Amino acid sequence: MDHKSDSLPRQGPSWLRGRPRRRSKTVRFLALGCLCFIAFAQWKQLSPSSVLPSSAEITVHGLSVKQLHDDLATCSKLKSKASDPIGLGRERNARYVKGHAPTLIKNANVWVGEPTKGTPPEAARRGVGFNWVVADVYMEHGLIKRVEASISLSSVAENTIVFDAGGRPLTAGIIDMHTHAGVESLPGLWGTSDGNEMSSDITPYLRAIDGLQPNDPQIQVIKSGGVTTSLMLPGSANNMGGEAYVIKHAVGERDGRNETSAADMLADPDRNWRFMKMACGENPKRLYGKPGEHGPTSRLGESWEFRHAFEQASALVRRQDDWCHMAAVSGIHSMKSYLPQEIRWEPLVALLRDQVRLNTHCYTIPDLEAFVDHTNEFKFKVRAFHHAHQTYLVPEILKRAYGGEAPASALFADNMWYKAEAYWGSEYAGKVLYDNGLTPIYVSDNPVLNAQHVLFEAAKGYKYGLPYHAALAAVTTAPAERLGFGQRLGKIKPGFDADIVVWDSDPLSVGATPVQVWIDGTAQFDNPVKLKKPAPKTMSPDESLSETTKEKPVVMDEVVFTGVSKAILREASENLAPQANNMTVVVSTGKVVCIGDCKTELQAAVRSNTPIINLKNGYFTESLTAFGSTIGLNAIDAERDTDNGPNPDSFTRAEDGLLVDNKKLRVAHSYGVTKAISAPKYSDAGGYHGTSVGFLTNVKTALDKDAIFAGDAAVHYTLDVSATGADGPNTPSSMSAAIGTLRRKLLTAASTLNDTTGEAYSEPLFLRKVVNGSLPLVINVHNADTIAALLKVKSAVDDVTGSKIRLVILGGAESYLLADELASANVGVVLAPLQSYAKSWDQRRALTGAPLTNGTCVDRLLDAGVLTAIGLEEDWLVRDLGLLAGIVFANGEGRVDERGALEMVGGNLYKMLGLEEPGVDKGHFVIWEGSPLEINGRVKAVGGGIGNTVSVF
Ligand SMILES: *[C@@H]1O[C@H](CO)[C@@H](O)[C@H](O)[C@H]1NC(C)=O
Ligand SMILES: *[C@@H]1O[C@H](CO)[C@@H](O)[C@H](O)[C@H]1NC(C)=O
Ligand SMILES: *[C@@H]1O[C@H](CO)[C@@H](O)[C@H](O)[C@H]1NC(C)=O
Ligand SMILES: *[C@@H]1O[C@H](CO)[C@@H](O)[C@H](O)[C@H]1NC(C)=O
Ligand SMILES: *[C@@H]1O[C@H](CO)[C@@H](O)[C@H](O)[C@H]1NC(C)=O
């Protein structure tokens, strides 16, 4: 296409600008050469035989006949409708690399991805006909060729590689329909961040593939979670962000490919469909609007930007169609111009011609409604709304979208609250959408979530009521269909691409991990690390989960629970002594008065008409604690008005900024998190600075009785990447400065230990308590080198005082590298996140676990005897504390038992901080149906609160 329309200001070469220079001899010589060349060219042009086109090559209108012919050929391309590429009927996968032997997977428990033949559609939607079936799978030439019970070796090619699945679950490779892997390589660095081109808000002409780094290590990490295919999108800064690409996670020779290139990663080398990203809402208006100059500064402006762009593209479609029609009817010789083409609008033209599958980031009702309007005004389809937090509120709006098929909703399971448009999210969105005939899909937005664990989003979708088969579909068949790969990806059937995962446990169970992954029939891990786990069993879908519609609890003071099969308690006091399999828990004035047989109490309860709740597989535990988040200091992360704010320069007390009685805290309490310890933010980039406050999550005001259980729980400083990134007048600019400053402060405190003067809440006074060991020092730090420096600071100060600083590391991605040193220095580690990955440079040595690494950070720390706990990297994780502990339990190969796992979100924190935990005796307990560590465990009652009551769900 030669009709570029580029709005960039045209600048001459640099030597034309600025002040004139004396011409050098070289320049004069070159100029002479040019003149000679021009003269020669002129002379050549005068010779008609050699340069001028013959009249046969040029029309009467002076246009090139060849170009016109090419244009006419382009017309038929413009008219061609894209369709989903076939699956069955292929001899071989176009991605197949010659020389790879066939593979037979024996003895697998196969999830086909569709119901058994003949299941009526309505029944299938409910899950009827979806089963795990014992079968062998034979793959050859990059395709699944046979899925049958007992395929005999004699019936397959001689060189076939045999893999014994040992009865483990086998699914199609996971598809993540929203990743930035490759364009936002990890660890995140400025130099490798290419997801957003910020020169303009409307950039449909950008192509994410132009920034795709095949060697982004995260592409391999993601695959280790069973993800074989991803939709790699540009970022969401721009209203129109550009073209996206469906890639497979096999890169270069090591992964069985011929070459290392982005082109080689394309899931469909024939490029039947193209893909595009757009975005509504907060990002574009925050980033682009310049009042008085140009928009958008509001959603109103954004809609105009969209419509204006579509108007240009529609006009071009019209001009092209007119040209093509004329050229076809009257012949190219009558054409007075070439086919109108503009690279700038070409991808949008392709969208309007239904050759592009569009994915649009839209959170809110107005965003969705406006965008659906655009689809009808300009007649194009949107295949999925991403970050579609409010779609569950407006199914009817989605159903009005152009094209007759409601867009799918690409969601996180429970990540929300991070900005105003994410404030109204619901963990039940997947279920509600599905119940309304719509399609939920779970995505990672890697690196926002580590896509290695995108399947866990689906598992949580199931936990929150989405039927089991629909949850699995949400990361397999549903994205495959929305991407136009419905006949190739997402199912285990002959004719489909041989992208397969064998799991060590049910894929929707907590901690499910691949044992091996195949892409186009080639095994991806040479020596995969396997976790020691009990013989795999697949779950029978728990249908009662979909009855959950927990929003508001019933508040009771007297209530009895029966059917409690397990009480997991730190110290069982006399009247709280768990005995049998079927225990009773009696609650009176909000306190547990009996656990166990409780015959007398039960009879009394029956007599007095006290509510009795019968549980199936009930669990009784201590309540959980949220440590290391900003809950209690903030309602919407990105909205300053709702936030206590950052403190890079001042040392403050969290208690002074406490904000209670808000959504985050209500959710925390409803998930059994009755206590939180939060510190003031250091900067908007992250970290903490000041003293944290320990408080109860369901208080109405900070003056409620017992609202604060630790006014100053710990002193916090930050030594992660945000320590050198924040800009305040007193902020150290280097890590060495930050460490030096901390050492100076601590040594000053050590030398003034006996000084009792000064303001009671001042930093020096808190630090005196730190150096004499009575107040813990919590440092945000990931990097092992920084941790080493910190240990030296501690010992230097301890040497002076003779006491021991109670040091706690928060973050700790690389702490395993110093596990023994941390254990011997008695330093506790609060992992945040629990499952670290190389998100930033200081976490680059994070262990991501099987099948790539032998264990993760928590395993190494536990092996060394380091006191370890789980923190919240972000506030939304407050729902997931039980499940995170469950991951340690399920994947810890026996390192912790159930109680040990739960201690990581409770008791261990208090041990590290030297604080007394408000316990069961104070009314802090949780009653669950199912194990809190398992995917189908759910909270039935939470004690712990004000007013001697228990919240029953
Ligand atoms: C890969 O390389 C082999 C050997 O050079 C060649 O025969 C084959 O055609 C190549 N396959 C693809 C898909 O490029
Ligand atoms: C457990 O005990 C309660 C009260 O005695 C009884 O109602 C219930 O049926 C028992 N459940 C089981 C599973 O035995
Ligand atoms: C603090 O007082 C104690 C006891 O009076 C004394 O032993 C110690 O040396 C003093 N420390 C400092 C740093 O002055
Ligand atoms: C530590 O210092 C604080 C404040 O100076 C003091 O109140 C406390 O008793 C000291 N604790 C110990 C164990 O020395
Ligand atoms: C993994 O690490 C453990 C130590 O935690 C060691 O005993 C084991 O041999 C290692 N396994 C492999 C496969 O390297």
Side-chain angles (χ1 to χ4, degrees), residues 237-352:
N238 304 3
N239 276 136
M240 291 191 181
E243 290 196 66
Y245 297 81
V246 180
I247 57 163
K248 289 204 189 180
H249 287 252
V251 182
E253 279 178 32
R254 184 184 55 173
D255 294 350
R257 306 303 305 164
N258 264 13
E259 60 177 43
T260 299
S261 70
D264 185 69
M265 295 168 71
L266 292 177
D268 174 17
D270 301 326
R271 305 198 189 200
N272 284 284
W273 283 104
R274 294 163 68 183
F275 305 88
M276 187 181 277
K277 167 81 177 287
M278 296 188 187
C280 328
E282 288 186 28
N283 293 355
K285 74 168 186 167
R286 179 184 302 129
L287 292 163
Y288 288 105
K290 259 206 173 145
E293 289 183 30
H294 60 82
T297 65
S298 70
R299 289 186 156 86
L300 283 56
E302 289 183 33
S303 262
W304 159 247
E305 297 294 338
F306 278 126
R307 297 176 65 230
H308 183 59
F310 277 116
E311 183 187 38
Q312 313 300 307
S314 298
L316 183 52
V317 169
R318 185 74 266 148
R319 280 185 280 134
Q320 288 178 337
D321 288 354
D322 290 351
W323 190 97
C324 292
H325 180 74
M326 280 295 288
V329 171
S330 2
I332 54 166
H333 287 272
S334 67
M335 302 310 290
K336 293 189 175 134
S337 66
Y338 296 119
L339 172 68
Q341 296 191 69
E342 280 182 64
I343 274 193
R344 167 172 286 262
W345 300 119
E346 187 278 333
L348 216 48
V349 164
L351 172 65
L352 294 176

Side-chain angles (χ1 to χ4, degrees), residues 546-757:
S546 60
E547 291 151 19
T548 328
T549 43
K550 149 178 147 181
E551 286 300 345
K552 271 207 159 154
V554 182
V555 176
M556 302 180 177
D557 48 4
E558 311 284 320
V559 56
V560 173
F561 298 90
T562 62
V564 174
S565 47
K566 228 169 200 177
I568 304 177
L569 286 172
R570 208 160 303 135
E571 292 151 59
S573 66
E574 252 170 55
N575 61 336
L576 303 182
Q579 295 150 4
N581 271 337
N582 179 5
M583 290 178 280
T584 296
V585 173
V586 181
V587 177
S588 177
T589 59
K591 302 277 187 316
V592 177
V593 294
C594 178
I595 303 181
D597 205 14
C598 310
K599 273 223 168 72
T600 341
E601 289 86 348
L602 192 55
Q603 281 161 3
V606 172
R607 277 196 304 275
S608 62
N609 271 335
T610 303
I612 299 177
I613 296 172
N614 292 303
L615 301 172
K616 227 169 74 189
N617 189 26
Y619 269 67
F620 179 91
T621 71
E622 262 123 1
S623 69
L624 315 182
T625 299
F627 180 78
S629 70
T630 61
I631 65 171
L633 292 165
N634 160 306
I636 303 173
D637 304 9
E639 289 288 340
R640 268 294 170 86
D641 290 359
T642 78
D643 186 25
N644 175 53
N647 301 275
D649 298 317
S650 45
F651 184 95
T652 69
R653 301 176 64 238
E655 189 180 348
D656 294 338
L658 199 56
L659 302 159
V660 294
D661 190 25
N662 59 43
K663 198 185 226 175
K664 286 183 181 179
L665 292 174
R666 274 191 289 279
V667 168
H669 194 261
S670 72
Y671 281 85
V673 182
T674 68
K675 297 153 277 185
I677 302 170
S678 298
K681 257 202 291 210
Y682 172 66
S683 75
D684 283 328
Y688 298 111
H689 188 209
T691 65
S692 46
V693 60
F695 65 100
L696 305 187
T697 54
N698 70 337
V699 293
K700 287 286 170 237
T701 82
L703 297 180
D704 288 354
K705 185 169 170 289
D706 298 330
I708 310 289
F709 63 84
D712 297 285
V715 169
H716 293 249
Y717 292 103
T718 294
L719 295 176
D720 63 14
V721 284
S722 47
T724 49
D727 45 353
N730 302 322
T731 305
S733 57
S734 66
M735 190 55 81
S736 50
I739 302 227
T741 303
L742 179 63
R743 185 198 290 109
R744 198 170 316 118
K745 284 181 182 174
L746 292 170
L747 286 173
T748 304
S751 67
T752 53
L753 257 188
N754 295 348
D755 181 358
T756 53
T757 60

Side-chain angles (χ1 to χ4, degrees), residues 830-847:
V830 182
L831 289 170
L834 168 70
Q835 294 173 297
S836 38
Y837 63 113
K839 194 170 188 177
S840 51
W841 184 255
D842 59 349
Q843 305 177 65
R844 71 189 183 284
R845 290 173 284 188
L847 294 178

Side-chain angles (χ1 to χ4, degrees), residues 112-120 124 127-131 133:
V112 176
E114 65 178 27
T116 43
K117 258 211 178 108
T119 312
V128 176
F130 285 89
N131 298 300
V133 290

Side-chain angles (χ1 to χ4, degrees), residues 363 387 389-390 392 411-430 442 448-449 457 460 464 631 634-638 663-664 667 671 874-880:
Y363 285 78
H387 292 287
H389 271 307
Q390 296 186 10
Y392 80 102
L411 303 163
F412 302 132
D414 53 4
N415 180 352
M416 54 191 74
W417 306 328
Y418 44 90
K419 45 187 177 169
E421 59 191 6
Y423 189 55
W424 299 100
S426 164
E427 61 271 46
Y428 300 108
Y442 291 103
V448 172
L449 298 182
E457 296 302 293
K460 288 186 283 182
Y464 301 131
I631 65 171
N634 160 306
I636 303 173
D637 304 9
K663 198 185 226 175
K664 286 183 181 179
V667 168
Y671 281 85
E874 289 175 356
D875 297 353
W876 59 270
L877 283 163
V878 77
R879 294 184 185 86
D880 295 348

